[in-house]
Amino acid sequence: MSIFKLPPSDVHNIDSLFAGWEESLIWSCLQGYMGDAWADDIENPKSARILLADFCYFAGEANHALVTEEIKTQSRDYLIMVPPLNESGEAWAQKIEEAYRDRCKRVERYAIKKEPGIFDQKYLQGIVEGLAPQYQIKLIDEDIFQQTREQLWAKDFTSQYADFQEYHRRGLGAFVLHHGKLVSGASSYTVYREGIEIEIGTMEAYRRQGLAQVCGAKLILECMERGLYPSWDAQNRWSVALAQKLGYHFDRAYPAYEIHL
């Protein structure tokens, strides 16, 4: 069975297949900002996938070719596949398990509600101002951008952007430095029309000091100033707890597959 990579002019043909998804990475692709889409037919698709960064989303009728073809050449060695949360979800899950067997692991991820207008600006500003004096909070500049390229733990802060100029034009990030060294950050993993998807993390030696919370608060404040929504999807319970400290609310757990290609 053949699949087709959709040209930008035809991506709208899969809009209805992804209707109901509350996922900013999907919106980013459908809006033409980032990512690529494939389908079983360009004009009248019944099955589709969206591939953006480390994530792959499926919709419509379960399709083996969309689970396997042109995956390796379009991504890194690691990918998170997410079946739809509807009646076709288990059929997609079965296709993924059959295709990748011992190279896939079923996990739970955690959706966070998207609720514009819920953030408490004064509370978030208090978190930022509580940063210990030995640290510095900064919005991204070219030096910080370069540091994200040089440190494995920080690569996903800017990995979806070709260079600093592209990030400066489209992205947004807040970072904590210690003696000029990047130690924690919150950044626009991806962007879409209405906002960004947050990537957040801290160098291992600097964890449990509240630095990620400071970065997250600063980034949310910057988004509020710009009229952008800071979307959050959690990999684990720690991420859920951090999101809740910043004012988000938990939505639901959902299944995903970690794939080693």
Side-chain angles (χ1 to χ4, degrees):
M1 182 180 295
S2 298
I3 62 171
F4 305 90
K5 187 174 183 179
L6 300 179
S9 59
D10 290 315
V11 169
H12 66 90
N13 290 336
I14 63 171
D15 284 357
S16 61
L17 294 178
F18 283 98
W21 278 86
E22 288 289 311
E23 174 50 64
S24 77
L25 274 71
I26 290 174
W27 300 338
S28 179
C29 183
L30 296 180
Q31 293 171 1
Y33 280 75
M34 291 176 152
D36 296 296
W38 286 259
D40 60 333
D41 186 90
I42 293 179
E43 295 299 327
N44 297 291
K46 294 182 180 179
S47 306
R49 80 164 182 241
I50 284 173
L51 187 59
L52 173 51
D54 289 332
F55 289 83
C56 184
Y57 300 92
F58 301 102
E61 299 175 2
N63 182 307
H64 178 79
L66 285 169
V67 169
T68 58
E69 291 186 19
E70 296 185 54
I71 290 286
K72 178 67 175 176
T73 59
Q74 299 290 328
S75 62
R76 307 173 189 171
D77 293 335
Y78 171 79
L79 193 63
I80 298 169
M81 291 186 171
V82 185
L85 294 171
N86 56 28
E87 64 277 2
S88 68
E90 279 307 311
W92 280 106
Q94 185 175 351
K95 296 288 187 187
I96 294 169
E97 292 174 2
E98 289 173 351
Y100 296 98
R101 299 185 181 275
D102 60 348
R103 290 182 290 138
C104 77
K105 177 184 177 183
R106 187 174 174 118
V107 298
E108 272 196 343
R109 293 183 64 90
Y110 305 95
I112 304 299
K113 290 182 179 179
K114 293 175 173 56
E115 302 172 290
I118 66 164
F119 299 108
D120 184 330
Q121 186 173 7
K122 184 177 180 180
Y123 168 71
L124 293 173
Q125 189 61 45
I127 293 174
V128 175
E129 292 172 356
L131 180 66
Q134 66 267 34
Y135 297 111
Q136 180 185 18
I137 182 79
K138 289 183 65 176
L139 297 183
I140 195 166
D141 57 20
E142 195 160 3
D143 174 67
I144 295 173
F145 181 90
Q146 186 59 37
Q147 289 195 53
T148 69
R149 298 300 224 223
E150 296 168 351
Q151 301 185 55
L152 184 61
W153 73 271
K155 63 182 176 62
D156 279 336
F157 288 139
T158 62
S159 59
Q160 307 314 314
Y161 305 85
D163 50 33
F164 176 69
Q165 285 68 36
E166 183 187 3
Y167 186 98
H168 184 67
R169 186 176 73 253
R170 306 175 70 185
L172 184 62
F175 298 85
V176 165
L177 306 177
H178 186 227
H179 301 307
K181 181 176 74 172
L182 172 62
V183 297
S184 186
S187 177
S188 51
Y189 182 61
T190 55
V191 299
Y192 64 110
R193 184 185 303 125
E194 296 83 6
I196 67 170
E197 182 71 28
I198 290 181
E199 173 73 19
I200 194 162
T202 301
M203 182 184 292
E204 187 171 0
Y206 290 83
R207 292 174 184 169
R208 301 186 184 279
Q209 299 182 48
L211 301 181
Q213 186 177 2
V214 172
C215 292
K218 180 65 173 176
L219 183 54
I220 293 168
L221 288 168
E222 293 297 324
C223 285
M224 292 172 69
E225 285 192 12
R226 292 164 170 77
L228 300 172
Y229 185 77
S231 179
W232 189 298
D233 185 79
Q235 178 185 10
N236 50 47
R237 290 289 186 182
W238 171 86
S239 183
V240 173
L242 177 56
Q244 291 173 325
K245 289 179 182 177
L246 294 168
Y248 293 92
H249 297 106
F250 175 73
D251 186 3
R252 53 178 167 73
Y254 67 90
Y257 287 88
E258 296 178 350
I259 310 293
H260 293 276
L261 299 172

